[in-house]
Amino acid sequence: MSRGLARHDPSEALRPVDWTGEHPPEYAKGSVPAHVAIIMDGNGRWANQRGLTRTQGHAAGEAVLLDVVAGALQAGVRHLSVYAFSTENWKRSPDEVRFLMGFNKDVLRRRRDQLDAWGVRVRWAGRRPRLWASVITELEEAERRTAGNDRMTLQMCVNYGGTMEIADAVRSIADDVAAGRLKPSGVTDRLVRSRMYNADIPDVDLYIRSSGEQRISNFLTLQGAYAEMVFLDRLWPDFTRQDLWRALDVYTGRDRRFGGAVDAPTA
Ligand code: IPE
Ligand code: IPE
Ligand code: MG
């Protein structure tokens, strides 16, 4: 029953739930995380294990993304962020970068009608500089077409980096201070948050990372300050909506305190 769960906390794998079904289990009322952020990792390893090229691994991840979006909708997740291309991924080979740019564009074009039909609102988070114009066009077209949907937000993080997002926010605040529109004393936590790319999306409740790596890799750095983390050993092309549901179950068992404390003597 440890299928897919990271080995660092085996007790989390022992819940007696059948995860193979087509419907999510009943989660306690109000316990489903409002914002889930997924680091879709392991495509290259999955492909290389099969004697395939890394880009074939990325291609295999497309159907998985759609399956997981469907599973998130079934579970009642309100905001789903997915990490598609980081500001650090430009370090990869020119061939892989070129493939990923074209792939992001094609996936958006191929899948936008399906997402729209499901009531999903697509939002883009990321930087314009360097990102292919054709990818920006598709992101903006998907945003435009789905702007009226409110069942779930799918935040596509493309050319996204958490530290870059904070730098962009700081730069816009510095511009306001330099122009005399803002005093330094007006720079508050709330103001900084208001300058994030999609400031109206609530903070991350749960990170899920596939592939067994246990790090955040610059994903939603500020918004994930108090997020729970679930790391799964499964490589992204093997991931399923049932893995998402299992991660949600692990989340419901976590005790989130946000720095607070409650006195509860046991003896
Ligand atoms: C994640 O899979 C997809 C992107 C980063 C675009 P990887 O390509 O990082 O796969 P691994 O980690 O090398 O296996
Ligand atoms: C994070 O995965 C970025 C995406 C999933 C798009 P990476 O594979 O790039 O992260 P590192 O380099 O292993 O930390
Ligand atoms: Mg990786």
Side-chain angles (χ1 to χ4, degrees):
M1 163 73 222
S2 66
R3 198 173 82 104
L5 273 169
R7 289 186 197 95
H8 69 290
D9 186 0
S11 66
E12 289 185 330
L14 297 178
R15 288 162 183 270
V17 177
D18 173 12
W19 294 105
T20 58
E22 292 184 359
H23 298 282
E26 289 280 318
Y27 299 105
K29 200 168 169 2
S31 66
V32 172
H35 186 175
V36 177
I38 304 188
I39 302 168
M40 309 181 288
D41 195 22
N43 298 347
R45 277 164 282 170
W46 181 91
N48 288 165
Q49 283 170 8
R50 286 161 177 74
L52 304 172
T53 59
R54 295 181 53 80
T55 54
Q56 289 173 296
H58 298 312
E62 176 179 349
V64 177
L65 173 61
L66 268 287
D67 188 57
V68 167
V69 168
L73 285 164
Q74 285 176 288
V77 172
R78 301 283 300 136
H79 306 278
L80 181 69
S81 294
V82 293
Y83 210 1
F85 190 91
S86 77
T87 47
E88 289 72 50
N89 287 148
W90 296 104
K91 293 177 190 162
R92 298 188 177 199
S93 73
D95 278 353
E96 185 170 350
V97 167
R98 199 175 312 118
F99 176 88
L100 284 168
M101 286 295 126
F103 181 61
N104 273 282
K105 170 175 65 81
D106 293 344
V107 169
L108 285 158
R109 188 175 300 172
R110 266 196 296 271
R111 304 296 187 166
R112 64 190 177 201
D113 289 345
Q114 175 70 82
L115 294 168
D116 191 28
W118 284 344
V120 172
R121 180 176 176 192
V122 177
R123 312 269 303 263
W124 168 41
R127 306 192 87 211
R128 269 168 202 280
R130 253 182 125 171
L131 186 55
W132 283 18
S134 56
V135 178
I136 295 175
T137 301
E138 289 303 333
L139 284 161
E140 291 180 340
E141 176 61 14
E143 285 188 324
R144 200 185 56 73
R145 282 189 188 221
T146 62
N149 295 338
D150 63 0
R151 209 173 145 206
M152 186 176 82
T153 313
L154 176 63
Q155 181 168 236
M156 298 283 306
C157 299
V158 186
N159 198 23
Y160 177 86
T163 49
M164 294 295 190
E165 183 178 26
I166 293 167
D168 286 344
V170 170
R171 194 177 314 105
S172 85
I173 290 169
D175 282 345
D176 285 352
V177 172
R181 292 188 289 268
L182 184 69
K183 292 190 187 127
S185 60
V187 182
T188 59
D189 170 273
R190 195 173 155 166
L191 180 80
V192 174
R193 286 168 170 281
S194 75
R195 304 289 172 105
M196 295 293 111
Y197 297 141
N198 291 316
D200 55 317
I201 296 179
D203 279 359
V204 178
D205 296 301
L206 170 65
Y207 283 111
I208 301 170
R209 184 170 188 147
S210 60
S211 91
E213 306 293 352
Q214 301 193 2
R215 57 178 170 271
I216 292 309
S217 301
N218 206 10
F219 193 32
L220 298 169
T221 309
L222 183 140
Q223 300 89 334
Y226 267 102
E228 297 295 320
M229 300 179 189
V230 172
F231 300 106
L232 300 168
D233 278 342
R234 199 184 296 286
L235 302 171
W236 181 251
D238 289 331
F239 203 91
T240 65
R241 72 179 79 185
Q242 285 79 14
D243 293 316
L244 168 75
W245 296 341
R246 196 179 293 107
L248 298 182
D249 182 65
V250 171
Y251 172 87
T252 64
R254 297 275 176 90
D255 180 17
R256 300 185 75 188
R257 291 191 286 272
F258 299 96
V262 177
D263 200 10
T266 54

